[in-house]
Amino acid sequence: MKPVPYSQDTSPDSTRKAFAALSKFIEFELGKFSPDIVVYGPIDHSICYLMDKSAERRDIARIGIQPSFISNRFIVQSQGDNWMEHLRTADMPDLLEGRGAGVSQPNINGKFRRVPNSNNAWNLHLWIRGCESALRVLSGGTTFDTLRSLSSLIASKIASPRWFPNLKTLESLEDIKTGSVFVALNQPALTSWDSPTWTDLIALALEATPEDIVIVIRPHPSEAARELPNELERALRSRGALISRVGHGPSMAGIIQECRAVMTLTSGVGMEALLVGVPVITLCPTFYSRSGMAKTIKLSDAALVRQILVNAEQFQADEDEVNRFTEWLLNNHVVPSLQEINSTGRTLIDHIRSTLKQRNVKN
């Protein structure tokens, strides 16, 4: 039941060559320019990952900007692809102060990030990029694309395939009023080849969820729909699993409020669930996999997951721990988008200035 959709051997030669060429280009530019600091977007983008690694080797200060679980907010980090581990293991003495006194919940209700299903087939910029990629593929130029990947992309934009078309869509909260397990799908880009995948997560949910608990699956709206292995599709149909789709049925917030637990690989949805008191199970270590918060498990932990789902009230996160961590995160690592000029708290500019000041003091 465990397909292997990702492996080093299946990476196209064009992808490896493009990665090497991009790395060489970045090394050349950073060597020529010698910046004081490098600021880049999400670390799971190839160019951002390579910029971070090149800056680290050259001892150049760097700041990465990750999507946050809060709308129009971003997580700022300086640890590259280790940023989740840094937040997960960060030493916060104030977490231990005043234990038992209660910590008020940060006021972010209604502000959680929602990713729109932006599958616009007539986006001019998208087609210009597609034509450029096609020319590179046909001429043997440097590109991460292949004819297969380009044809799949074009088909996905024109035909607009949806996740799990043969499975029933969740239409009402009445369908899950007896409780459910909410499976939030995502596929992290920066993982080892043998790391769990979204199909592993579904297989584990099927194995660990008691028959009387409904499984609700939420595909990630910004990830292209993938085909579900036949055996998993049959198993989900026989269990009466429901699919939560963008723009259809109850809101994700409403489903989370009603479910008994959330299962995911690393999705930021886990933070939303923790903040409303819902137990969270992650199959990969993520930034909120801290003591008293989310429970990170292995594929072999189906019995433990079943125990959590049956006795969810005994496995709820420590409310004070969740609130303290969230407050610390907001104060130290979360910045508003550049469009929100009048926002309170630290901005990206503040982080850049602080990083450069620390670097000058160090040197």
Side-chain angles (χ1 to χ4, degrees), residues 32-44:
K32 180 178 67 174
F33 182 46
S34 298
D36 294 320
I37 190 170
V38 170
V39 182
Y40 56 83
I43 188 67
D44 51 347

Side-chain angles (χ1 to χ4, degrees), residues 19 22-23 26 30 38-56 62-67 77 79-81 144 190:
F19 194 80
L22 183 58
S23 177
I26 290 172
L30 285 185
V38 170
V39 182
Y40 56 83
I43 188 67
D44 51 347
H45 292 182
S46 296
I47 190 169
C48 300
Y49 174 83
L50 290 171
M51 285 182 65
D52 175 82
K53 291 301 181 184
S54 180
E56 184 180 23
R62 73 241 206 245
I63 288 180
I65 307 169
Q66 303 295 137
Q77 54 88 7
Q79 290 75 36
D81 53 338
F144 284 94
L190 291 180

Side-chain angles (χ1 to χ4, degrees), residues 56-176:
E56 184 180 23
R57 285 192 294 271
R58 295 172 181 274
D59 195 29
I60 298 173
R62 73 241 206 245
I63 288 180
I65 307 169
Q66 303 295 137
S68 171
F69 58 96
I70 306 174
S71 179
N72 295 320
R73 295 291 188 275
F74 298 89
I75 295 176
V76 171
Q77 54 88 7
S78 298
Q79 290 75 36
D81 53 338
N82 292 320
W83 73 274
M84 284 195 182
E85 180 182 0
H86 173 76
L87 296 184
R88 182 171 64 250
T89 60
D91 182 22
M92 291 175 288
D94 59 319
L95 285 180
L96 304 177
E97 297 174 2
R99 183 181 294 278
V103 179
S104 60
Q105 186 182 73
N107 183 24
I108 58 176
N109 290 333
K111 300 177 183 177
F112 293 106
R113 181 172 178 255
R114 294 290 179 259
V115 181
N117 188 12
S118 56
N119 187 25
N120 183 1
W122 306 113
N123 184 302
L124 179 60
H125 178 65
L126 179 67
W127 282 101
I128 291 175
R129 286 182 57 193
C131 289
E132 178 189 356
S133 295
L135 288 173
R136 287 179 177 271
V137 170
L138 294 173
S139 64
T142 302
T143 176
F144 284 94
D145 292 303
T146 62
L147 284 176
R148 182 176 179 180
S149 67
L150 281 176
S151 61
S152 297
L153 177 61
I154 294 172
S156 69
K157 294 301 178 181
I158 295 177
S160 299
R162 65 176 187 168
W163 286 87
F164 316 138
N166 300 322
L167 297 179
K168 185 179 179 182
T169 299
L170 175 64
E171 299 291 352
S172 170
L173 288 177
E174 288 295 313
D175 297 330
I176 54 173

Side-chain angles (χ1 to χ4, degrees), residues 224-246:
R226 300 185 182 97
E227 187 175 350
L228 188 65
N230 292 332
E231 64 271 25
L232 282 184
E233 183 172 311
R234 287 194 296 268
L236 288 171
R237 273 207 306 266
S238 66
R239 285 292 304 275
L242 300 172
I243 308 301
S244 169
R245 305 185 192 279
V246 176

